[in-house]
Amino acid sequence: MPRRYHAYPPEFQVLNVLSSAGASILGVGYLLPLSYLLWSLKYGKKADRIRGRRRGSSGRALRRLRRRTSSARRS
């Protein structure tokens, strides 16, 4: 089908409508995650900014790992 017709021939009209509907669905599909991202950036809960640590037992595991690597460097 040639591009940039100002009036489509009748045999291509159905394809034109389907193509426009598909493009609209894809546009909404891109806008929904973008709106969720913008909403979470404005109203979402802030993450903890403790350097190198997480909540729970992973903080202890990280300290153990640091001790092991620092003792390995000394020897």
Side-chain angles (χ1 to χ4, degrees), residues 5-74:
Y5 270 106
H6 67 281
Y8 283 97
E11 62 266 15
F12 295 134
Q13 188 62 36
V14 174
L15 296 175
N16 183 30
V17 170
L18 286 175
S19 176
S20 298
S24 300
I25 291 170
L26 282 174
V28 170
Y30 280 115
L31 289 177
L32 278 174
L34 180 64
S35 65
Y36 291 148
L37 173 68
L38 295 175
W39 185 88
S40 66
L41 287 174
K42 183 167 180 148
Y43 300 111
K45 182 180 172 186
K46 298 280 185 185
D48 290 338
R49 289 198 170 236
I50 299 173
R51 193 179 100 206
R53 284 188 52 196
R54 295 184 182 146
R55 291 183 181 171
S57 63
S58 62
R60 280 183 265 146
L62 186 59
R63 284 192 295 274
R64 278 190 221 132
L65 181 64
R66 285 183 181 158
R67 270 189 255 141
R68 286 182 193 158
T69 55
S70 65
S71 64
R73 286 182 198 157
R74 291 180 199 151

